[in-house]
Amino acid sequence: MKDKILCSRKGKFLFVIIPDKPEIGAYAWKIDTETGKIYEYADESEEGWSELQETVEIHKELCREVWGVDETSWRECSEEELKFLEEIGLI
């Protein structure tokens, strides 16, 4: 699973797309790297996308719409980022 996790950074925020999270399929999160607080689409969107089980491409689009993440900024997470995701319990 870890080799396919995508990350994008914007200031103190780390945006993460996990393509095959158990139970829910693909999903994306926004994480405050200073506090470890995890945000979901439903936290910051009027549309409330908390039940989405869509493709990685759809999550890239939603991250752009909800959080302003450039679709071309996605890349495979670094080892440091993966370690951080483990520490906060996301993976």
Side-chain angles (χ1 to χ4, degrees), residues 38-72:
I38 300 170
Y39 300 86
E40 295 188 40
Y41 298 128
D43 297 335
E44 300 180 26
S45 168
E46 296 172 10
E47 312 224 4
W49 284 302
S50 61
E51 298 302 315
L52 278 183
Q53 296 183 24
E54 300 292 345
T55 67
V56 168
E57 291 307 311
I58 288 173
H59 285 292
K60 285 181 181 179
E61 175 68 18
L62 290 173
C63 285
R64 184 187 62 74
E65 288 178 12
V66 177
W67 294 317
V69 179
D70 184 340
E71 289 180 64
T72 63

Side-chain angles (χ1 to χ4, degrees), residues 2 31 41 55 62-63 75-76 81 88:
K2 292 180 187 176
I31 303 158
Y41 298 128
T55 67
L62 290 173
C63 285
R75 57 179 167 63
E76 219 174 286
E81 290 165 335
I88 63 171

